[in-house]
Amino acid sequence: MKINDAVFGALLVILGGTVLWHVQAFPKIPGQQVGPALFPGLISAGLVVAGALLCVSGLRARRAGGAWFTVADWMGSRGHFAAVAAILLGGVAYVYLAEPVGFVLVAPVLLFIWMLVLGVKAPRAALIAVLGTLAIWYVFYKLLRVPLPWGVLKNYAF
């Protein structure tokens, strides 16, 4: 079922606003420029902005005669269900493989597979997977000092 963007956008605004409200209570870390509220705050602010944009888009579509709820065309397609299953199974695989194998090895493989599932051509998917993994690693491991699992590469961690 496809929900009109205005409805879905409103839900995102509520979710993002709720998270923003709760991260204000996160304690500050002495000696750190960046506290634990930064990342969830950025994500929730993004949800609020994306939700607001979806609300505007959905209201325009509704004004043009669109429905609030429709059964999406892809509901009858096995390929779309397989794509959703691949993305969900990839998330589960990451949870189980990241610690023993390592983030740097698991993340690009999963990102590459997910990009292929979403219809991205292989060369571009490989570029996105590598650059995305490096960007995530840099932001979390270097800037935010979040320990990422090294797995088999633990002797090479820097």
Side-chain angles (χ1 to χ4, degrees):
M1 177 175 285
K2 168 126 173 54
I3 300 174
N4 181 282
D5 288 344
V7 176
F8 190 70
L11 293 173
L12 286 179
V13 168
I14 292 169
L15 173 66
T18 303
V19 173
L20 277 173
W21 177 270
H22 288 289
V23 298
Q24 302 305 315
F26 285 13
K28 304 288 185 222
I29 299 174
Q32 293 280 334
Q33 289 181 326
V34 177
L38 176 69
F39 183 67
L42 288 174
I43 296 295
S44 58
L47 287 174
V48 169
V49 170
L53 292 173
L54 277 173
C55 281
V56 170
S57 169
L59 290 173
R60 284 183 182 160
R62 177 74 177 128
R63 204 173 293 144
W68 287 110
F69 299 99
T70 60
V71 176
D73 295 336
W74 64 269
M75 289 290 286
S77 168
R78 273 199 231 162
H80 289 89
F81 282 118
V84 170
I87 290 171
L88 293 175
L89 288 173
V92 171
Y94 176 81
V95 168
Y96 286 104
L97 293 175
E99 195 64 42
V101 177
F103 172 82
V104 176
L105 298 176
V106 173
V109 172
L110 287 176
L111 285 175
F112 179 72
I113 292 169
W114 287 338
M115 292 295 111
L116 292 177
V117 165
L118 293 172
V120 177
K121 295 192 187 301
R124 184 170 286 175
L127 182 65
I128 291 170
V130 170
L131 293 178
T133 300
L134 291 175
I136 293 168
W137 176 83
Y138 182 78
V139 168
F140 282 91
Y141 190 73
K142 289 295 188 181
L143 295 179
L144 299 176
R145 301 184 191 275
V146 173
L148 295 174
W150 282 94
V152 297
L153 299 176
K154 66 183 167 196
N155 294 334
Y156 305 102
F158 52 93

